[in-house]
């Protein structure tokens, strides 16, 4: 067990079909009905599928784990950035590399028309051995509404100025 949160519990395991390492995000029993939990995880899988990025965790499937719904994603063998940082500081070069990876991931997320809404060190996976970064936990993410003129923020006062540009 890697993490226990209000809405889900996260485990590391292996996929039976090919023995590939995977992460299993199991919706907690107190998070609505089994159907509601399955729908929430299916939506998260659809969001992950819409994002083409090496900096965003790849979603594989939504299944069941006993009576509970489960999202299966890739496992890069890392840990959350908050856990990594709790053990000590990073070098400046290391921190800049991580920051660049996060920014690249967010660029790809936004290019897909998605707003993550919960970017924290706990929702960034970092593999210190390989330098890989992945943004995770898209369960509260939303899509931007689009019009023929481009993206429209749900809250215009927070829309970056470049979105209003006609260039």
């Amino acid at each position: 067990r890697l993490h226990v949160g209000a809405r889900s519990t996260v485990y590391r395991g292996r996929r039976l079909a090919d023995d590939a390492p995977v992460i299993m995000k199991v919706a907690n029993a107190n998070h609505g009905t089994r159907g509601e939990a399955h729908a929430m995880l299916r939506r998260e899988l659809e969001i992950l599928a819409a994002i083409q990025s090496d900096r965003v965790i790849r979603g594989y499937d939504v299944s069941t784990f006993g009576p509970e719904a489960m999202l299966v994603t890739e496992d890069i063998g890392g840990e959350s950035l908050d856990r990594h940082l709790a053990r000590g500081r990073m070098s400046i070069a290391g921190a800049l590399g991580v920051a660049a990876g996060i920014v690249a991931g967010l660029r790809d997320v936004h290019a897909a028309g998605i707003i993550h809404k919960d970017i924290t060190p706990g929702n960034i996976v970092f593999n210190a051995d390989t330098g890989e970064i992945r943004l995770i936990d898209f369960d509260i993410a939303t899509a931007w509404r689009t019009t023929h003129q481009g993206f429209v923020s749900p809250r215009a006062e927070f829309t970056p100025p470049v979105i209003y540009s006609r260039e």
Side-chain angles (χ1 to χ4, degrees), residues 144 149 151 159-167:
W144 289 68
Q149 297 172 343
F151 290 111
T159 302
V162 69
I163 290 176
Y164 291 119
S165 171
R166 295 188 182 264
E167 297 175 19

Side-chain angles (χ1 to χ4, degrees), residues 7-70:
R7 293 182 301 271
S8 61
T9 302
V10 180
Y11 300 90
R12 179 170 270 144
R14 300 198 82 69
R15 192 167 43 192
L16 293 176
D18 58 4
D19 203 38
V22 294
I23 298 295
M24 299 165 291
K25 179 179 181 178
V26 179
N28 291 342
N30 62 353
H31 191 66
T33 67
R34 181 178 180 181
E36 290 168 338
H38 198 275
M40 175 192 75
L41 294 175
R42 173 69 54 198
R43 183 182 158 282
E44 185 171 355
L45 180 64
E46 290 169 0
I47 288 172
L48 293 174
I51 303 166
Q52 301 299 312
S53 178
D54 290 337
R55 306 292 187 176
V56 173
I57 205 76
R58 288 179 189 89
Y60 294 142
D61 194 17
V62 172
S63 187
T64 56
F65 180 74
E68 307 304 331
M70 171 178 68

